Amino acid sequence: MRIILFCFLLLSNVMQSQEIDITDLAELQEIQEALNIENQLPNDTDVVIEDNLQIEQTIEISAVEEPFFGYNFFESTNDTSAPVLDIPLQADYILSFNDEVQITLIGNVQRSINTNIDLSGNVLLPEIGYIALVDLPLSEANKKLKAIIEETYIGTEIYLSVITPSLRKVSVIGAVKKPGTYLVNPFLSLIEIIKYANGLDDNSSIRAIKIISTNGSEKVIDLYDFLINGDSSANINLKNGDTVIVGATNKFVRLMGGIQRSKIYEYTDNDSYADLINFAQGFVFSANKNLIAAQIIQDNVLKTSYVEMSDKVSNDGLLLELIIGKLNLKIDKDAVVKGDSVTSGLYQYSYGD
C-alpha cells in the first residue's frame, strides 16, 4: 500500500521538485522501484538487495528532462548533405590531397603559383622540386616552405593559402543512428560528423571515441573534456579517410540529490566520486557533503553504501546511482524593524509575535 501511495504522489508531482525523507532501507527500495532502476540492468541479472545502510536525510529528487548528459548536443537536422566550402580556413586547417593552393613569392623573386596537392601529397615548385605538404596544418606548411625558400631565393618571402579545399570522405560506424561514409566539409570536427550520422544510439559511449586514420594510427577521444571542461582540442578536425568508431557502454550513473545538475553521466574506471560531482556542476548550497551514498551491483548483489569523494569508482562494482544528501536547515533569524518613530534594529521574536 505504501508503494502505491508513493508512486501516486510521484506521478502527481512529476513537474516539481519533491522532498523525500528516507528513514529506512525499505523506503529507499521503494524509491528505487519508482525510478525504474531495474531498467538499467541486464534482463538476466539476478539482483539481491543487501540491507547494509540506513539513511536519515532529506534528498531532493527532480524530474530529468535529458537523462543522458550530452546526448542532445549531437542531435541535428541537416537541410542538405551538400558540403559548404566558403568558410574561411584557420591556421590549424590540415592540408589534404587535391587541395588547390596558392604559393605567393614576394621580394627579389615576384611570383604567384596556383597548384594542387597531388595524390602523393606533394606540390611542385619550379626550380625547387616536389615538397610534401599533405596532413600538415596550414601554419606548419607555411613554416616549412619559408625555410626552403630562404635557402633558394635570398630576400624573398613566401605565403601559402588555400584557394579551394577538397572534400573529405569520413566513415562513422558503431553506436550511431545512421552509420555510413560521408563526403563532408574539409573543416568538419568530430562532433559534427556524429551529427551527420543523426546522433547517438542509447548507451553510446562519448568518452572513448576511436579515430583510425588511413595510415593505421589511432586516437581515443574523451568528449567530456569538451562538453564539461570546454577543451576545444578534444573536438578535433578529421582528415580524409578517417574512420570514427563510437562504442557502447553500460557504465552510466544517475546523480541526484544535493547537486546542481541531476542527469545520467557516463563514467570510467579512472573517475573518482569527486569527478562525478564535478560533472554535475558541483554541490548545491544545502548539500550534505558528508552524506554521499552509492548504489552498486557487486557479485549480483545490489548494495547501497556510503562513499568518500576521493574514492575511485573502479574500486567498486557496476555503479547505478550516486545520491547526495541535503541538510535539514532550521530558520533562526531576527526581525528587522526600521522607521521614523521606532528604534531601528534587529529584534528577536517567536512564532506568532
Side-chain angles (χ1 to χ4, degrees):
M1 184 66 184
R2 183 190 293 178
I3 295 176
I4 295 174
L5 177 59
F6 174 83
C7 292
F8 175 79
L9 292 174
L10 184 65
L11 290 172
S12 64
N13 295 279
V14 67
M15 298 304 294
Q16 303 177 6
S17 288
Q18 306 168 51
E19 287 200 5
I20 303 170
D21 286 322
I22 302 177
T23 56
D24 55 40
L25 186 64
E27 292 183 10
L28 179 59
Q29 293 173 211
E30 293 170 9
I31 292 177
Q32 295 168 349
E33 294 171 1
L35 292 173
N36 292 323
I37 293 174
E38 65 273 16
N39 291 338
Q40 300 183 26
L41 309 180
N43 294 330
D44 58 351
T45 300
D46 183 18
V47 175
V48 179
I49 304 297
E50 182 176 275
D51 297 348
N52 66 340
L53 176 66
Q54 295 286 330
I55 299 180
E56 297 181 359
Q57 186 63 48
T58 299
I59 296 176
E60 184 178 282
I61 301 174
S62 303
V64 180
E65 296 179 358
E66 179 199 357
F68 290 92
F69 169 77
Y71 275 33
N72 284 356
F73 198 85
F74 299 91
E75 294 180 0
S76 176
T77 301
N78 293 320
D79 295 331
T80 176
S81 59
V84 180
L85 297 177
D86 58 351
I87 298 177
L89 302 180
Q90 298 180 342
D92 60 351
Y93 169 79
I94 305 297
L95 295 170
S96 185
F97 302 103
N98 206 37
D99 280 352
E100 183 181 359
V101 299
Q102 183 177 71
I103 300 171
T104 303
L105 302 177
I106 300 176
N108 291 334
V109 177
Q110 303 275 349
R111 185 180 300 173
S112 181
I113 303 168
N114 289 1
T115 185
N116 287 69
I117 299 177
D118 63 26
L119 296 181
S120 299
N122 303 316
V123 294
L124 177 62
L125 290 183
E127 303 176 8
I128 295 177
Y130 288 98
I131 301 174
L133 296 181
V134 73
D135 288 342
L136 288 178
L138 184 58
S139 58
E140 294 298 322
N142 260 302
K143 292 179 182 178
K144 181 175 181 178
L145 288 174
K146 181 178 180 180
I148 295 174
I149 291 299
E150 286 178 349
E151 295 179 357
T152 307
Y153 302 114
I154 298 175
T156 301
E157 295 287 336
I158 187 169
Y159 298 94
L160 172 68
S161 60
V162 179
I163 300 175
T164 306
S166 62
L167 301 180
R168 304 288 192 267
K169 184 179 289 187
V170 178
S171 299
V172 188
I173 60 176
V176 291
K177 293 180 179 178
K178 191 178 178 182
T181 299
Y182 298 91
L183 197 62
V184 298
N185 299 328
F187 26 74
L188 203 73
S189 67
L190 175 58
I191 288 177
E192 292 298 324
I193 195 62
I194 295 175
K195 291 182 179 181
Y196 260 79
N198 285 359
L200 301 166
D201 278 340
D202 292 340
N203 300 323
S204 296
S205 171
I206 56 177
R207 300 200 59 191
I209 297 177
K210 184 180 293 186
I211 301 174
I212 303 177
S213 300
T214 53
N215 61 7
S217 63
E218 296 184 4
K219 290 183 180 178
V220 178
I221 303 297
D222 184 349
L223 279 178
Y224 269 27
D225 290 338
F226 174 76
L227 296 173
I228 291 179
N229 302 320
D231 182 1
S232 59
S233 65
N235 186 27
I236 66 174
N237 288 327
L238 300 172
K239 301 192 297 295
N240 190 42
D242 280 352
T243 298
V244 177
I245 304 176
V246 180
T249 182
N250 62 353
K251 293 185 176 181
F252 292 102
V253 54
R254 183 192 296 271
L255 268 67
M256 55 199 302
I259 48 156
Q260 299 286 355
R261 183 171 59 192
S262 296
K263 293 185 183 295
I264 296 176
Y265 297 88
E266 182 181 349
Y267 68 91
T268 69
D269 291 341
N270 293 323
D271 290 329
S272 66
Y273 290 105
D275 292 328
L276 301 185
I277 292 170
N278 177 62
F279 296 163
Q281 297 184 326
F283 297 105
V284 297
F285 79 96
S286 58
N288 187 344
K289 299 177 183 179
N290 297 317
L291 185 66
I292 303 177
Q295 295 179 349
I296 303 163
I297 295 180
Q298 196 170 47
D299 299 326
N300 282 348
V301 176
L302 179 60
K303 300 180 179 180
T304 306
S305 57
Y306 294 122
V307 295
E308 299 291 337
M309 288 184 61
S310 59
D311 291 345
K312 287 285 187 180
V313 178
S314 59
N315 295 334
D316 304 310
L318 182 62
L319 179 63
L320 295 182
E321 283 193 349
L322 192 65
I323 306 172
I324 294 86
K326 298 184 69 177
L327 299 171
N328 292 319
L329 302 178
K330 295 181 179 179
I331 298 177
D332 184 10
K333 62 182 181 179
D334 297 335
V336 178
V337 179
K338 59 183 178 180
D340 295 334
S341 58
V342 298
T343 303
S344 300
L346 296 175
Y347 295 89
Q348 293 184 346
Y349 68 96
S350 300
Y351 180 76
D353 288 348

